Amino acid sequence: MFEQHRRMNELTIAKLEPEIEAMRTQLREHGPDSEREEAAKEYHELMVEKARLEMDLLRLQIAEMRRRAEDWRAE
């Protein structure tokens, strides 16, 4: 009976070893994905900020053009 339990434990260990290795591989693979995801989020935030700044610049240019047009009409 003891020998049968020992053999079952050995088989369980043999079964779990490839599963553990597969999980380790997934963990190794997951690291770069999370880094890429973080970099993509950062890139997105920078692009949003750039778009906001460009819109602010365009608003300032429009305000300047209106001011110049008013000055030109006043002359």
Side-chain angles (χ1 to χ4, degrees), residues 31-70:
D33 287 342
S34 62
E35 290 174 11
R36 274 187 254 137
E37 189 175 303
E38 188 64 34
K41 286 179 184 177
E42 185 177 339
Y43 176 79
H44 173 73
E45 290 172 8
L46 290 172
M47 289 294 107
V48 168
E49 182 63 24
K50 179 184 173 191
R52 284 189 189 129
L53 291 172
E54 288 174 348
M55 288 188 298
D56 289 345
L57 176 63
L58 289 172
R59 286 186 188 110
L60 289 172
Q61 289 175 346
I62 290 169
E64 178 65 20
M65 291 170 75
R66 286 182 180 155
R67 186 187 61 77
R68 287 184 184 180
E70 288 173 4

Side-chain angles (χ1 to χ4, degrees), residues 6-28:
R6 202 177 108 203
R7 182 69 183 138
M8 285 174 53
N9 287 339
E10 289 172 358
L11 290 172
T12 302
I13 290 170
K15 176 188 158 218
L16 291 175
E17 285 176 346
E19 290 180 20
I20 291 170
E21 188 57 37
M23 288 181 187
R24 286 182 181 148
T25 302
Q26 287 176 345
L27 285 173
R28 280 193 302 267

